[in-house]
Amino acid sequence: MNSKVQAELASLREAFNQGESIAIIHYASGNFYLAKDRPVEVNCISVVDLGDLSTVSFSLADFKGDDLEARERLLLDSFYEWLGAHQDVRVVHWNMNNADYGFAAIAARYHWLIGESPSAVLPQARMMDLDSAIEDLYGEAYAPHPKLQNLAALNKLSQRYWLKGAEEPERAAGGDFAAVQRSTSEKARAVARLTRLLLNGDLATQESVGDIFFADGRIDAVKTVLTVAQRMLLVERSLSRRHKGRDTINLTDEYDTQDLLRSLLVIFFEDVREETATPEYAGGSTRIDFILPDFQVAIEVKKSRDSMSPKSLADELIIDRDRYAKDDRVGHLICVVFDHEGRLMNPRGLESDLSRQSSAAGLAVTVKIIDR
């Protein structure tokens, strides 16, 4: 992790725990492609208090009149008045740190409309881009594009009022500023809830479902499952060397592998449930090898065989994904494929392709091929 981001998160976590003022700011603009000779218009700015999730919005829907630029001036005046009264606030945002979209763009629009720069500004040191922080922690592929929408889905957050892509400027152009306000406010609340989850170690991404507490420390739950699986071969070899040749477990099929993995997982997870039926799908149901209900994780264990090919494995995963996507208990599927014999070619590339192809909105899929 970048040391600067690590310090920012530690500082933000301390401020949140001490009840300091932290605001999430999100906004909706007009169509960038139509604003060729001017800064793009601002249709709504929503501010959410991270402490109690209360929301304040500055929207064109709040002001009357046919002159939209006059209404927008009132909107921006109200926002900067609020900002001037909250100069001690810390701000968390989502990608609002460039000239085209974000605080600089809002300030440019204010200057274009009013003829002067806004009197209130926030120092960069008191602002954090949540998208960049999460990317630094979990990598660029922490969620499929569009990342905010898919990350919210992975964390089971409401998207009832969200307008996607070009829908916000289209609705604004049609005068439906109330719909734009509802969308912007709900997105701001989603950023707030994602921030809370990140600070508490509970954020779910394509690669993670949150932290577990073990030996007085915090470790990532998904990484724990994958690390245990990676070390299974060492455990199997150790078990084969029993005192005076005593009986031991021999891993000859998937059931033996499941038994050993389950026995190791209970060291780290208090609740490991096995063989739970999924809801009926396509006229039948299937069995999940394990569920970690505290983390909404299903673990599917597979053992390579001569008849298994990359295509057949992909087909199995697609079926698994579609079944588990119907199960409200599961938000992340981990598929561990034990291939100690090296039957599957290019395992690292296959892992990446299968994880990307199998993931869907609201269900992350992590594939790990254990080949050594």
Side-chain angles (χ1 to χ4, degrees):
M1 182 196 298
N2 183 293
S3 58
K4 180 181 177 182
V5 174
Q6 190 172 17
E8 287 179 349
L9 285 174
S11 176
L12 188 67
R13 184 177 292 110
E14 182 180 4
F16 179 65
N17 291 336
Q18 292 180 353
E20 292 185 24
S21 180
I22 303 173
I24 280 69
I25 299 180
H26 196 72
Y27 89 113
S29 68
N31 191 318
F32 288 95
Y33 300 104
L34 297 180
K36 297 179 180 179
D37 59 348
R38 65 190 186 282
V40 68
E41 62 268 22
V42 176
N43 295 320
C44 181
I45 304 173
S46 290
V47 180
V48 176
D49 186 294
L50 189 63
D52 61 11
L53 299 180
S54 59
T55 306
V56 176
S57 290
F58 308 94
S59 169
L60 292 179
D62 298 332
F63 307 101
K64 297 179 180 180
D66 296 329
D67 187 340
L68 289 181
E69 287 190 357
R71 292 165 69 177
E72 190 181 354
R73 283 193 289 270
L74 293 172
L75 181 162
L76 293 172
D77 278 335
S78 298
F79 169 68
Y80 280 112
E81 182 179 344
W82 177 91
L83 197 58
H86 296 82
Q87 283 293 283
D88 61 338
V89 71
R90 292 172 179 262
V91 170
V92 178
H93 60 90
W94 190 271
N95 277 333
M96 289 180 56
N97 50 6
N98 60 65
D100 295 327
Y101 177 86
F103 296 102
I106 296 173
R109 181 64 179 179
Y110 181 95
H111 188 275
W112 188 84
L113 282 174
I114 298 175
E116 59 185 46
S117 298
S119 58
V121 294
L122 284 170
Q124 192 66 34
R126 299 185 67 81
M127 300 167 65
M128 188 185 80
D129 177 10
L130 185 63
D131 173 44
S132 297
I134 296 173
E135 181 175 314
D136 188 78
L137 279 169
Y138 300 106
E140 185 178 356
Y142 69 81
H145 288 285
K147 289 187 175 181
L148 179 56
Q149 176 186 343
N150 283 303
L151 188 65
L154 286 171
N155 287 274
K156 312 298 185 186
L157 301 183
S158 172
Q159 298 184 35
R160 179 181 179 183
Y161 297 111
W162 284 39
L163 298 176
K164 302 173 185 177
E167 289 180 332
E168 281 184 352
E170 287 175 359
R171 296 291 284 271
D176 193 354
F177 301 117
V180 175
Q181 180 176 342
R182 287 192 296 270
S183 174
T184 308
S185 296
E186 190 166 62
K187 289 178 182 178
R189 285 190 291 271
V191 175
R193 290 189 170 93
L194 292 171
T195 302
R196 281 185 166 192
L197 290 169
L198 179 64
L199 295 180
N200 292 334
D202 297 324
L203 183 70
T205 71
Q206 284 282 92
E207 303 295 332
S208 176
V209 292
D211 295 346
I212 62 173
F213 291 91
F214 184 79
D216 294 327
R218 295 160 66 115
I219 52 178
D220 182 83
V222 171
K223 289 181 181 177
T224 299
V225 173
L226 298 180
T227 301
V228 169
Q230 285 174 321
R231 296 181 180 177
M232 284 259 292
L233 183 58
L234 299 176
V235 176
E236 181 183 355
R237 289 171 177 171
S238 180
L239 285 173
S240 68
R241 297 189 293 271
R242 292 293 313 279
H243 181 68
K244 293 185 178 180
R246 296 185 180 190
D247 292 340
T248 188
I249 182 173
N250 294 308
L251 276 66
T252 58
D253 56 27
E254 284 187 2
Y255 292 107
D256 295 329
T257 304
Q258 290 170 18
D259 289 342
L260 182 55
L261 180 58
R262 183 195 66 248
S263 300
L264 295 173
L265 289 177
V266 297
I267 299 173
F268 300 93
F269 299 93
E270 294 183 358
D271 192 354
V272 181
R273 303 185 189 181
E274 52 184 320
E275 294 288 283
T276 304
T278 63
E280 189 169 296
Y281 173 78
S285 64
T286 187
R287 310 290 291 184
I288 298 172
D289 292 335
F290 310 118
I291 280 187
L292 307 177
D294 293 339
F295 297 92
Q296 293 187 308
V297 168
I299 303 172
E300 178 77 19
V301 178
K302 300 181 185 295
K303 193 170 175 64
S304 69
R305 53 192 183 275
D306 290 337
S307 61
M308 178 180 284
S309 66
K311 183 181 184 307
S312 67
L313 179 57
D315 290 343
E316 289 180 28
L317 272 174
I318 295 300
I319 294 173
D320 291 339
R321 179 203 65 189
D322 292 344
R323 284 172 170 152
Y324 300 150
K326 297 172 68 69
D327 193 331
D328 292 336
R329 300 165 303 163
V330 177
H332 196 119
L333 171 63
I334 301 175
C335 179
V336 183
V337 183
F338 289 93
D339 183 35
H340 293 152
E341 297 80 9
R343 294 186 176 97
L344 297 171
M345 300 297 291
N346 188 20
R348 304 291 81 79
L350 186 57
E351 286 172 350
S352 178
D353 290 344
L354 291 175
S355 295
R356 183 179 64 255
Q357 294 168 8
S358 301
S359 294
L363 179 71
V365 178
T366 299
V367 180
K368 186 64 180 178
I369 299 173
I370 311 296
D371 62 322
R372 56 182 180 273

